[in-house]
Amino acid sequence: MVCEHLRPLEIAIVDGGIRETYRGQAWSNNCREWVYYECYLDLAEIRRKFVLAECVKDHAHRGTHDGSERGVECTEHQDAIMGSYEVTEGWTVFPSTSGAKAPSLGAR
């Protein structure tokens, strides 16, 4: 279970029916529990809708060969909640008032 600083966000994501794709020590000993979800996390909207402690920082990594991610990280407990680096076709954008999926790349 992620720390108390990220738990309300995790509950909201799970309640939104978003699929978890990985949970565990993702990269190094500096990571305790990182949880990845099949969605794009709109960090600005998350910060508007959730009260996050000062130790919760935005995190983005655009990997070239080692994966990419965007989300929030608790620097006190080394826990994190991650989604895709970019909006991904067919994946949910969280939070969304409509629960809409990202549009098809060919949509007009």
Side-chain angles (χ1 to χ4, degrees), residues 40 86-93 99-108:
Y40 173 79
E86 300 175 309
V87 174
T88 302
E89 181 179 350
W91 284 21
T92 300
V93 175
K101 303 276 186 198
S104 168
L105 298 177
R108 296 178 187 227

Side-chain angles (χ1 to χ4, degrees), residues 5-80:
H5 300 121
L6 298 176
R7 188 72 180 137
L9 176 59
E10 182 179 33
I11 290 169
I13 291 170
V14 170
D15 287 352
I18 298 171
R19 186 172 82 89
E20 179 183 307
T21 60
Y22 176 82
R23 178 181 296 267
Q25 189 176 25
W27 299 108
S28 69
N29 289 334
N30 290 334
C31 301
R32 191 181 76 92
E33 180 156 296
W34 285 41
V35 187
Y36 290 78
Y37 288 97
E38 194 172 88
C39 68
Y40 173 79
L41 297 171
D42 182 339
L43 300 181
E45 193 63 21
I46 285 171
R47 291 201 174 273
R48 277 193 280 282
K49 292 188 174 188
F50 293 85
V51 176
L52 300 174
E54 283 190 37
C55 60
V56 176
K57 306 295 183 193
D58 292 356
H59 170 92
H61 173 75
R62 182 176 188 82
T64 55
H65 58 278
D66 61 349
S68 57
E69 63 202 15
R70 180 183 313 274
V72 290
E73 175 184 7
C74 174
T75 59
E76 182 177 330
H77 297 102
Q78 288 72 48
D79 288 349

